[in-house]
Amino acid sequence: MRITNFIIALLITAMAGPALASMTTAEQIHSGAEQFLAAFSDAQGNEGFTVSYDTGQLDPRLSLATCETPLSVSFSGDPWKSTQPSLLVSCKGDRPWRMFLPVSITITGEAMVAARPLGRGERLTKAAIQSDSVVVNSIRRGAITNIEQLVGMEMRRGINAGTVFTPDLVLAPAAIERGDHVIISARSGNFSVNSRGKALASGGIGDQVLVENLSSSRTVRARVTAPGHVEIPM
């Protein structure tokens, strides 16, 4: 499972010596960040992803108030949509503080790509999709990693072979097209009455569309529940 809000409390042991016992040093913050990223890397490795990272540099002269509680480290942004998120390091003790530490991170894994050139409006089949190893978090719109999320969808625009699939490239096909004859279900609890109608607009499952009731010639707004079926509340 992806972890987009990955938070670990890290206990940073104060270094020996009276001068250092009253402050949190850059070295301790850097160590906490390393532990956090190592844990994140291990967690993603269990899901088939490879994570590499660089915590960058801190001014070695940095010193902050001693934290009497474990330091909290978390991503301040979504590491799945950026290769340069920041870490939020904070102390929630009697003398609280917070700071941001820039890091570089790459998450490599299998994502779905086009097996061949695809045209606008084309319905996707498994033969049109293949997996490839990509830097997942360099795809800012979010790479699709599950083929089942794509099969049966339609292309919003044409793409070349090898293009990584992202949610903005596909849309659910219309379950009802304008002019289709449909079954209108008027439902109240477990009781329903069906009538025949004609769709006045196209829509996918869950969309609201205008439908003409062919018996009464009334126009009603109904929710698409399945191909050829709409529902209105009673």
Side-chain angles (χ1 to χ4, degrees):
M1 179 180 65
R2 289 186 177 185
I3 305 175
T4 58
N5 187 25
F6 191 84
I7 301 175
I8 295 179
L10 297 165
L11 179 61
I12 308 300
T13 304
M15 297 179 65
L20 295 179
S22 62
M23 64 185 68
T24 301
T25 65
E27 182 179 352
Q28 290 171 317
I29 293 170
H30 190 270
S31 176
E34 286 281 342
Q35 292 179 53
F36 169 82
L37 291 171
F40 176 80
S41 177
D42 289 344
Q44 303 320 306
N46 292 334
E47 300 297 327
F49 296 96
T50 301
V51 177
S52 59
Y53 55 85
D54 181 358
T55 56
Q57 299 296 321
L58 280 173
D59 188 335
R61 296 168 297 179
L62 175 71
S63 63
L64 296 165
T66 300
C67 191
E68 302 297 338
T69 62
L71 291 182
S72 177
V73 184
S74 64
F75 285 112
S76 65
D78 188 347
W80 290 91
K81 294 184 179 179
S82 173
T83 57
Q84 294 184 314
S86 293
L87 294 183
L88 172 61
V89 184
S90 62
C91 173
K92 300 176 182 178
D94 294 336
R95 303 168 66 188
W97 51 260
R98 59 189 300 189
M99 64 164 293
F100 292 93
L101 176 64
V103 297
S104 297
I105 183 169
T106 59
I107 305 173
T108 305
E110 296 295 310
M112 299 299 108
V113 304
R116 56 176 175 78
L118 298 169
R120 178 181 177 182
E122 186 169 347
R123 185 75 62 89
L124 292 175
T125 64
K126 287 187 176 181
I129 307 164
Q130 64 186 29
S131 64
D132 197 5
S133 179
V134 302
V135 178
V136 179
N137 62 329
S138 69
I139 313 298
R140 294 190 178 275
R141 294 187 181 275
I144 295 176
T145 59
N146 185 347
I147 192 172
E148 299 303 327
Q149 292 180 260
L150 292 170
V151 174
M153 301 291 276
E154 288 184 357
M155 295 301 304
R156 289 183 183 271
R157 61 179 177 84
I159 59 175
N160 295 322
T163 299
V164 178
F165 284 105
T166 56
D168 62 302
L169 289 178
V170 296
L171 74 164
I176 291 175
E177 299 286 353
R178 180 178 180 179
D180 284 354
H181 282 219
V182 298
I183 300 298
I184 304 172
S185 296
R187 183 176 299 277
S188 177
N190 294 326
F191 177 75
S192 66
V193 176
N194 295 335
S195 58
R196 300 192 64 82
K198 183 172 73 173
L200 302 180
S202 301
I205 293 175
D207 290 344
Q208 298 281 334
V209 296
L210 291 177
V211 178
E212 179 187 357
N213 187 310
L214 296 180
S215 298
S216 64
S217 297
R218 290 179 55 201
T219 298
V220 296
R221 185 174 294 277
R223 182 174 64 88
V224 180
T225 58
H229 292 262
V230 299
E231 182 177 288
I232 59 175
M234 290 182 66

